[in-house]
Amino acid sequence: MVRYPNGQTYVPVEKKAKKKIPSAANRGMGFEKDINDTNAYYLEKGLALIYKRPTPINIVKVDYSHGAKITQAYFECQSTTDYNGVFHGHYLDFEAKTTRSKSSFPLNNIAPQQVVHLRNVQKQGGIAFFIINWYARNETYVLDAAYVCDFYEQKPRKSIPYEECKSHGHLVTESFRPRYDYLPLVEKYFLK
Amino acid sequence: MVRYPNGQTYVPVEKKAKKKIPSAANRGMGFEKDINDTNAYYLEKGLALIYKRPTPINIVKVDYSHGAKITQAYFECQSTTDYNGVFHGHYLDFEAKTTRSKSSFPLNNIAPQQVVHLRNVQKQGGIAFFIINWYARNETYVLDAAYVCDFYEQKPRKSIPYEECKSHGHLVTESFRPRYDYLPLVEKYFLK
C-alpha cells in the first residue's frame, strides 16, 4: 500500500472516478428526459398526444411589485401520475420509473395516491400502466397498472422481482429515435 | 353636490360599494372553482375522472439549506388546456372560460398554443370542447373545440357573438351539486 507523507493512503485517480454513481434523482431525470423525447417524437409523427404533468407547487408568497414573482414556494407530491394523454381516442395514463437494482423493483417508489389514481383510471375504462426501466440491465418493460397495484396492495411484498416483471411485462424496444418505443406494446396489449 | 371642506366631492358609501366589480382574475377563479367542484362530484360518483392541470411554473432559484424551498420562480402560460381526463375510456380535454360581456366572447381569452393543442386532441380521436360561462346572463354552454378553433383562425373575427354561441353550443344545466353538469352533454353530443 502506498501512503502520503502524512500517513493517508494513496488512491489512484481511476479508482476514485469509478465510485461516482449518479444519484437517484439524476438517474430518474435521464429516463424521464428519454420518455419526454419519445413523446415529442410521437407528437411530431401524429401517433399520439402524451404530456408530462407539471410538478405541483405550493405557493406561499408572491411579490407583485415587479410583475408576479414567486418568492416562497415548495414542491408537492404528484397526486396523480407523471404522464397522460390520448392515443386513438383512448385515454392513456402512466408512470415511468427507473431502478438501479438488478433483482427487484422497490415498491416504495410508488405513492399510495398513485395506486388509487391508476385504479380510478382503469375503472373509467382508461389505459393505465407502468414503464419500468432496469438501469443496470438496460431493459425496460411496460407493465399493466392492475398487476403493479395488486403487488402494491399485498402487504408482505415490498418489491417486484425482476423475473416476475420479465414474465408479466412487455419488453420495450430501445433505439435512437424513438428512445423507448412503448406505443406498439400499448396498441398490442391494451387496446381492445 | 355636497363637498368636503377641502373641496373634494362627497360620494355616499353605497355608491362607492356599487362600483366594486370583481376583477377578471377573481371572476375566473369562481367559475374555475365551480368546475373543480363539479369534477370532484363526478369522481366521487365514479362518473368520470377529470383533473385540473397545475399551472406550469418556471423555477429560477431553489434554496436547499432547509429542505427544498423555491425562492424565485415565475408563472408560465399554460401550453395546453386547464382540464383533461377520462370518461367511458375516452379522452376528454377542455378549457373553461368566463366572460362578463353580454354580447360576445372575446377570442383573446384563448392562447394560440391552446388552439394547436385542441386540434391535436381531435386529430388523435379525443373529445375537445370549451365550457363558456356568460357571467352577466347566468348561462353556460359547451361548445365543440373545432367550432371555436375555426372562429379563432378566421382572422377578421375577434369574438364569438352570444347568439352564435347559443345556437351552436349546448346549454349546461346549473344546480347546487353538481354546479355545472356538463357530462350529460358530452355523452349526448360528443360520444360516438
Side-chain angles (χ1 to χ4, degrees):
Chain A
M1 189 187 291
V2 186
R3 282 180 189 276
Y4 284 105
N6 67 0
Q8 209 187 325
T9 44
Y10 166 74
V11 182
V13 177
E14 61 270 33
K15 268 198 186 165
K16 269 187 192 165
K18 216 181 159 187
K19 279 189 184 167
K20 214 180 168 183
I21 290 167
S23 76
N26 288 340
R27 255 187 291 135
M29 290 307 283
F31 181 56
E32 192 180 292
K33 200 193 155 291
D34 285 342
I35 293 291
N36 294 346
D37 288 350
T38 303
N39 292 339
Y41 172 87
Y42 290 153
L43 175 60
E44 197 188 302
K45 298 284 171 190
L47 296 170
L49 185 64
I50 293 150
Y51 277 100
K52 185 175 182 321
R53 290 193 178 95
T55 305
I57 287 167
N58 181 11
I59 297 164
V60 180
K61 268 188 209 160
V62 181
D63 172 9
Y64 288 102
S65 59
H66 304 282
K69 175 180 160 186
I70 299 160
T71 56
Q72 192 184 346
Y74 300 92
F75 293 101
E76 282 192 339
C77 281
Q78 191 70 272
S79 64
T80 59
T81 51
D82 278 348
Y83 298 92
N84 77 349
V86 53
F87 174 52
H88 288 324
H90 294 269
Y91 178 85
L92 286 194
D93 200 302
F94 66 92
E95 185 69 23
K97 290 285 181 195
T98 184
T99 179
R100 208 175 174 82
S101 162
K102 274 203 162 189
S103 56
S104 62
F105 173 76
L107 289 169
N108 60 9
N109 265 327
I110 303 166
Q113 69 270 23
Q114 294 183 321
V115 172
V116 173
H117 171 73
L118 290 167
R119 292 274 195 208
N120 278 333
V121 168
Q122 294 195 323
K123 245 182 253 167
Q124 292 301 328
I127 297 166
F129 55 92
F130 280 82
I131 303 182
I132 295 179
N133 169 248
W134 297 82
Y135 185 85
R137 292 180 177 269
N138 268 328
E139 285 176 18
T140 302
Y141 292 88
V142 165
L143 258 177
D144 192 330
Y147 179 76
V148 178
C149 294
D150 284 349
F151 242 96
Y152 192 89
E153 285 160 358
Q154 284 167 31
K155 280 282 152 71
R157 308 301 290 262
K158 283 186 176 164
S159 61
I160 302 177
Y162 167 74
E163 293 303 331
E164 298 244 10
C165 177
K166 194 178 175 175
S167 63
H168 288 88
H170 314 292
L171 187 67
V172 177
T173 309
E174 293 184 37
S175 65
F176 178 61
R177 204 156 187 254
R179 188 70 188 87
Y180 294 103
D181 197 13
Y182 62 87
L183 216 48
L185 298 174
V186 171
E187 187 159 23
K188 191 171 172 190
Y189 296 103
F190 296 92
L191 283 196
K192 291 126 209 170
Chain B
M1 191 184 291
V2 186
R3 282 183 190 274
Y4 284 103
N6 67 0
Q8 208 187 324
T9 43
Y10 165 74
V11 182
V13 178
E14 60 270 33
K15 267 199 187 166
K16 269 187 190 163
K18 214 182 160 188
K19 278 189 184 166
K20 214 180 170 184
I21 289 168
S23 75
N26 289 340
R27 253 186 295 134
M29 290 307 282
F31 181 56
E32 193 180 291
K33 200 194 156 292
D34 286 340
I35 293 291
N36 295 347
D37 288 349
T38 304
N39 292 339
Y41 172 87
Y42 289 154
L43 174 61
E44 198 188 302
K45 298 284 172 192
L47 296 170
L49 185 63
I50 293 151
Y51 277 100
K52 187 178 182 319
R53 290 192 178 97
T55 307
I57 287 168
N58 181 11
I59 298 165
V60 180
K61 267 188 208 161
V62 181
D63 173 9
Y64 287 102
S65 60
H66 304 283
K69 176 181 158 183
I70 300 160
T71 55
Q72 192 183 347
Y74 299 92
F75 294 100
E76 282 193 337
C77 282
Q78 191 69 274
S79 64
T80 59
T81 50
D82 277 348
Y83 298 93
N84 77 348
V86 53
F87 174 52
H88 289 322
H90 294 269
Y91 178 85
L92 286 194
D93 202 303
F94 66 92
E95 185 70 21
K97 291 282 182 197
T98 185
T99 178
R100 209 174 174 80
S101 162
K102 274 203 165 191
S103 57
S104 62
F105 173 77
L107 288 169
N108 60 10
N109 264 326
I110 303 165
Q113 68 271 24
Q114 294 183 322
V115 172
V116 173
H117 171 74
L118 290 166
R119 292 274 196 208
N120 278 333
V121 168
Q122 294 196 321
K123 245 183 251 166
Q124 292 301 327
I127 296 166
F129 55 93
F130 281 82
I131 302 183
I132 295 178
N133 168 248
W134 297 82
Y135 185 84
R137 291 181 176 268
N138 269 329
E139 285 177 19
T140 302
Y141 292 89
V142 165
L143 259 176
D144 192 331
Y147 178 75
V148 178
C149 293
D150 284 350
F151 243 96
Y152 192 90
E153 284 161 357
Q154 285 167 31
K155 280 281 151 71
R157 307 302 290 263
K158 284 187 175 163
S159 61
I160 302 176
Y162 167 74
E163 293 303 331
E164 298 244 10
C165 176
K166 193 179 174 172
S167 63
H168 288 87
H170 315 291
L171 187 66
V172 177
T173 309
E174 293 183 37
S175 65
F176 178 62
R177 204 155 187 250
R179 189 72 188 85
Y180 294 103
D181 197 15
Y182 63 87
L183 216 47
L185 298 174
V186 171
E187 187 159 23
K188 190 172 172 189
Y189 295 104
F190 296 91
L191 284 196
K192 290 128 210 166

